[in-house]
Amino acid sequence: MSKYEWLERKVLRSVDQLRLWPDNPRLSPEEKHVSVQDFVSDLISDNGEKDDFFKLVDSIASDGFIPADPVVVWQSDNNDKYYVAEGNRRVLALKLLRSPDKAPRSIRSYIRRKAELIDRDTIEKIRVCVAPSLDDCEWYINQRHAVSTQQRSWSRLQQQRWIAGLYDKYEGDITKVSSVTKLNKGQLEYTLRILNVRDLALNPIVMAILNEEEREKVTSHRIPMTILERWFFNPKVKESWGIEFDGTDIKIMSNQKSFFMAYAQWLKNVFSRGEPNVDIKIDTRTITAELEELLEKLPTVSFEVDDEDDTPIISLNNTDKDASTSTEDEKPAVSDEDSSIKRPLNKNPDRNQLVVETCVLSTSNYKLDALFREFKKLPIYKYKNTTAASLRVFLDLAVAEYINSIGAKEELCTIYKGRPYQEITLKHRLEFMKKEKLTKKTPAYKVVEKLLNSSNEHSLDTLNNYIHGTDQQHTNKRFLNGFWDFLFPLFEEIIGMTAK
């Protein structure tokens, strides 16, 4: 039997007995959906949805129900009722035409007029495809929803909420969600980042500043996501407001209270963008053309650290999306794999400078000394790409200084068949140190061993990517701080760096 044979069979089911799906991404997740009226009221609260729904009702009333596109249902294990996975709008329209009194008062007279045009007995039952399980329904939805002749395609946010629902269902297993949606990991992470940015607006500081109408817009599923994306994914905004993305997580590197107050004012201006005489109009056009001016007019985001100010990580994997949640149990930036390597003072991975003030380096090498001193001053959150590239340069300079200080240049050149020292890559220099100069099992030896292992996150490949690659996955503050802590035992041995 074919895996999808159920799609080829259609069985009669009573329209009145079919249950609508409360988790339909077209619906606002904040609303309760018990009665038919609940479903209709939510659906038509959006003008675009309302117009298309009325067109659907008109079509059925005039031409009858056309079973061109399958209505897909599944039987719940909890109550043996049949729920509609695909075709909720069509089934809802049929229910209203059969029982106009179930319509909300605002459209009841309209539904009654349309119901008079059709013999209700002809829509008592419809043929549906009964899927073996909800999982099979999910597969069908992803195959069919992009294009359909009688369906209204989901909006971008509705598509995003569908993905978020799957992400929650499969407990953050991106591989499983990818297998259902046929989207790759990068596409899924991008969508989840957008949803997390949107959910930051639910923070109590933001909600307290917004008025009742604005709060309703924030908690609904009709927030202007295109504007949200254009703003928060802009490099200048991320730098000015102190936000970083790490996979599906959002990290607020600035002062939390300051950030959320600015976010609240930003939302107020977005919601009022269509009104006359608005001083700060925020839309996709002004974000592109007037970004600097907008940042100046909006409240300034501070980077001063309060005693109670923790760096939050917001994730859809958490049931509580309150952005004020602290991350005391969060793992340090250095992985368990590196735990055998002694780190100096085990400094906070959220520190703002790569090198702590108590760290000391005495060297006659001007470049090494200058970079070292600048690492103590440079704020990583603001110059993460500069820090990342400079970290690779610092390692190169440190290795060169070590080889020169032990008089091993000629030996190295001989091993590599008389090649000039400048043409011997950092990888080969590290391999030479590991094989010929460093004592096995020492902390410095272990660091070099891991650096040469490309499967290790703290690897030479990662450092090279900072300069030659395009991937920005490992440029967040925590990772860079962790990389420095990982490298410290090597610097301690080869250039005499110490931490008091």
Side-chain angles (χ1 to χ4, degrees):
M1 184 179 75
S2 169
K3 182 180 178 181
Y4 306 115
E5 187 175 337
W6 60 270
L7 268 175
E8 301 171 359
R9 287 200 315 269
K10 292 185 178 181
V11 297
L12 281 173
R13 286 289 181 269
S14 168
V15 169
D16 298 336
Q17 295 302 314
L18 291 176
R19 299 288 184 92
L20 298 168
W21 187 25
D23 292 330
N24 185 343
R26 292 189 190 278
L27 305 173
S28 172
E30 287 79 20
E31 301 293 336
K32 292 183 178 180
H33 303 93
V34 179
S35 65
V36 170
Q37 191 170 119
D38 293 335
F39 283 89
V40 180
S41 296
D42 190 350
L43 186 66
I44 66 175
S45 62
D46 180 91
N47 288 332
E49 291 280 5
K50 180 178 181 179
D51 292 344
D52 283 311
F53 183 67
F54 280 3
K55 290 177 182 177
L56 177 61
V57 172
D58 288 345
S59 173
I60 296 174
S62 302
D63 305 323
F65 180 71
I66 303 173
D69 295 300
V71 173
V72 177
V73 306
W74 87 96
Q75 190 173 21
S76 171
D77 294 331
N78 296 327
N79 56 17
D80 293 330
K81 302 294 183 182
Y82 287 92
Y83 285 83
V84 181
E86 183 67 16
N88 279 270
R89 290 171 63 253
R90 286 169 283 163
V91 172
L92 184 55
L94 292 169
K95 284 179 176 289
L96 291 181
L97 290 171
R98 282 186 51 76
S99 303
D101 289 343
K102 293 182 179 180
R105 187 178 299 276
S106 61
I107 65 169
R108 194 171 296 162
S109 59
Y110 165 79
I111 296 296
R112 282 174 178 162
R113 290 197 306 271
K114 296 301 176 181
E116 292 173 357
L117 303 177
I118 191 170
D119 182 354
R120 299 181 193 183
D121 291 339
T122 62
I123 54 173
E124 179 185 359
K125 294 182 178 181
I126 60 172
R127 293 193 176 274
V128 300
C129 298
V130 182
S133 67
L134 177 56
D135 288 346
D136 292 280
C137 291
E138 291 172 354
W139 168 85
Y140 177 82
I141 288 171
N142 282 288
Q143 297 297 314
R144 288 281 294 153
H145 222 287
V147 180
S148 180
T149 56
Q150 200 180 10
Q151 298 166 350
R152 183 174 188 263
S153 298
W154 286 341
S155 69
R156 189 173 186 182
L157 178 57
Q158 290 164 350
Q159 292 278 5
Q160 291 163 350
R161 290 215 166 276
W162 166 248
I163 293 172
L166 294 176
Y167 184 83
D168 289 338
K169 175 182 177 180
Y170 296 115
E171 298 179 343
D173 187 343
I174 292 183
T175 301
K176 177 62 178 176
V177 179
S178 179
S179 69
V180 174
T181 61
K182 308 304 179 187
L183 298 175
N184 62 40
K185 182 180 178 181
Q187 291 171 314
L188 289 174
E189 286 188 346
Y190 182 84
T191 296
L192 294 170
R193 285 186 207 131
I194 297 169
L195 290 167
N196 275 329
V197 170
R198 182 258 183 209
D199 288 337
L200 283 177
L202 300 174
N203 181 272
I205 296 175
V206 177
M207 299 300 278
I209 296 174
L210 303 179
N211 61 37
E212 184 176 352
E213 181 181 355
E214 291 163 345
R215 286 195 293 270
E216 184 178 347
K217 289 180 179 179
V218 166
T219 56
S220 76
H221 68 298
R222 289 174 290 274
I223 191 169
M225 296 299 290
T226 302
I227 300 176
L228 199 76
E229 289 177 65
R230 187 73 62 87
W231 181 265
F232 281 94
F233 287 178
N234 184 284
K236 181 65 177 178
V237 172
K238 289 194 291 184
E239 178 183 322
S240 298
W241 281 23
I243 56 174
E244 293 182 356
F245 296 103
D246 183 11
T248 60
D249 297 330
I250 303 169
K251 296 180 180 180
I252 303 174
M253 318 312 294
S254 53
N255 179 283
Q256 283 188 35
K257 184 177 180 181
S258 172
F259 170 85
F260 286 117
M261 290 179 69
Y263 190 9
Q265 186 58 51
W266 181 88
L267 284 166
K268 293 174 79 71
N269 289 111
V270 168
F271 293 144
S272 64
R273 66 191 185 281
E275 299 176 6
N277 303 319
V278 175
D279 183 41
I280 308 177
K281 183 178 181 179
I282 300 177
D283 54 29
T284 55
R285 185 193 64 79
T286 57
I287 291 174
T288 301
E290 305 169 18
L291 181 61
E292 293 285 352
E293 184 179 347
L294 293 177
L295 285 169
E296 288 180 6
K297 290 183 177 180
L298 289 166
T300 301
V301 175
S302 169
F303 286 85
E304 294 182 3
V305 180
D306 296 334
D307 292 339
E308 299 178 355
D309 189 30
D310 295 320
T311 299
I313 295 183
I314 313 301
S315 173
L316 286 180
N317 209 18
N318 302 326
T319 54
D320 181 5
K321 296 183 177 63
D322 185 346
S324 63
T325 303
S326 65
T327 56
E328 294 178 0
D329 297 329
E330 189 179 350
K331 294 181 180 180
V334 175
S335 65
D336 293 338
E337 180 186 13
D338 302 326
S339 61
S340 62
I341 299 173
K342 183 180 177 181
R343 293 186 297 159
L345 305 180
N346 192 20
K347 290 297 180 180
N348 179 7
D350 287 318
R351 62 186 184 269
N352 288 325
Q353 281 73 37
L354 194 68
V355 178
V356 296
E357 193 59 39
T358 55
C359 194
V360 176
L361 174 64
S362 297
T363 178
S364 59
N365 186 307
Y366 170 77
K367 291 181 181 179
L368 267 178
D369 182 62
L371 270 180
F372 180 77
R373 286 186 284 105
E374 288 172 10
F375 280 157
K376 286 188 174 184
K377 299 177 181 179
L378 202 67
I380 302 177
Y381 66 83
K382 196 170 184 180
Y383 300 104
K384 59 183 181 180
N385 293 300
T386 300
T387 304
S390 298
L391 183 58
R392 165 61 172 79
V393 173
F394 190 90
L395 175 62
D396 203 326
L397 291 172
V399 168
E401 179 69 10
Y402 169 72
I403 291 174
N404 185 57
S405 67
I406 63 174
K409 274 189 176 183
E410 289 186 9
E411 182 183 356
L412 177 63
C413 293
T414 300
I415 290 175
Y416 286 98
K417 300 178 181 179
R419 291 167 59 186
Y421 178 78
Q422 292 78 4
E423 294 182 9
I424 299 174
T425 65
L426 177 57
K427 179 180 179 181
H428 290 149
R429 296 178 193 181
L430 288 168
E431 288 174 343
F432 168 74
M433 289 168 54
K434 176 189 170 187
K435 185 177 180 180
E436 305 293 341
K437 301 301 175 184
L438 299 177
T439 304
K440 286 186 177 181
K441 306 302 181 183
T442 60
Y445 180 93
K446 291 180 180 179
V447 170
V448 173
E449 189 174 46
K450 293 178 187 296
L451 274 172
L452 293 171
N453 182 358
S454 60
S455 64
N456 187 33
E457 277 195 319
H458 296 145
S459 69
L460 182 60
D461 281 359
T462 301
L463 290 174
N464 289 336
N465 187 63
Y466 290 149
I467 298 175
H468 303 295
T470 57
D471 182 17
Q472 295 188 6
Q473 180 180 355
H474 296 112
T475 56
N476 65 75
K477 182 166 69 173
R478 279 182 156 246
F479 187 85
L480 291 172
N481 281 331
F483 213 141
W484 176 267
D485 293 341
F486 163 75
L487 290 171
F488 188 88
L490 177 63
F491 295 148
E492 194 173 28
E493 180 163 334
I494 67 175
I495 55 175
M497 189 183 294
T498 59
K500 296 180 180 180

